[in-house]
Amino acid sequence: MEIILKEDIVNLGYKNDIVNVKSGYGRNYLIPTGKAIIASPSAKKMLAEDLKQRAHKLEKIKKDAEALAAKLEGVSLTIATKVSSTGTIFGSVSNIQIAEALAKLGHEVDRKIIVVKDAVKEVGNYKAIVKLHKEVSVEIPFEVVAE
């Protein structure tokens, strides 16, 4: 089933992308929640016209994302958590803690665009990816230390 996304959806696509999904996922979740519409020929024409009119706005959004990426380029974080005697973390470090640590440094980043690939369950060095735009992402190294 071909649909047009109305907002960014992690691991699927970005706003105004035309993607193929399974029929049940499209009909039962994406369309009823307003996250997508069916990609009919008329909807595709409207999308093309909208994109043509908003090209300069999208360019500004991309430039803002690149500016934020430049600010985040040299940032490295240290996150202190409670640790057992063996070095295992109680719980785990997720995108929420990374977003809070970035906020303390003065960088307001939505936690939904931060991706941590591996589960952080031990003390050590890791990397998180901040997906600021369709074409702009930044890798942020962070260290997990005992509190």
Side-chain angles (χ1 to χ4, degrees):
M1 167 179 230
E2 215 175 31
I3 59 168
I4 300 172
L5 297 177
K6 288 295 176 189
E7 60 185 58
D8 296 350
I9 299 175
V10 178
N11 296 330
L12 184 59
Y14 296 95
K15 183 176 180 178
N16 295 328
D17 282 354
I18 298 174
V19 295
N20 284 315
V21 296
K22 292 193 176 184
S23 298
Y25 184 49
R27 274 196 227 106
N28 297 327
Y29 176 68
L30 294 174
I31 294 170
T33 57
K35 296 180 185 224
I37 59 170
I38 296 173
S40 63
S42 62
K44 287 180 183 178
K45 285 180 185 175
M46 287 177 55
L47 174 66
E49 185 63 31
D50 280 351
L51 289 177
K52 193 167 77 173
Q53 291 178 359
R54 285 195 274 149
H56 67 281
K57 288 181 186 177
L58 295 174
E59 189 64 34
K60 182 184 180 303
I61 291 169
K62 184 178 176 185
K63 284 182 181 175
D64 291 345
E66 288 172 346
L68 184 56
K71 287 181 187 176
L72 291 174
E73 197 64 44
V75 174
S76 69
L77 303 173
T78 303
I79 299 174
T81 60
K82 292 184 180 180
V83 178
S84 69
S85 59
T86 61
T88 305
I89 297 172
F90 294 119
S92 67
V93 175
S94 65
N95 55 354
I96 297 169
Q97 287 88 351
I98 295 169
E100 289 171 354
L102 285 171
K104 287 179 186 174
L105 294 176
H107 304 290
E108 289 297 323
V109 177
D110 186 18
R111 67 181 175 86
K112 294 174 187 167
I113 63 172
I114 299 173
V115 177
V116 182
K117 290 193 177 190
D118 302 322
V120 180
K121 300 240 179 219
E122 294 180 353
V123 174
N125 293 318
Y126 299 93
K127 290 188 178 181
I129 299 172
V130 180
K131 295 182 178 182
L132 298 168
H133 186 266
K134 188 187 294 191
E135 301 159 3
V136 181
S137 63
V138 178
E139 236 181 44
I140 296 180
F142 67 96
E143 181 182 9
V144 179
V145 296
E147 198 168 63

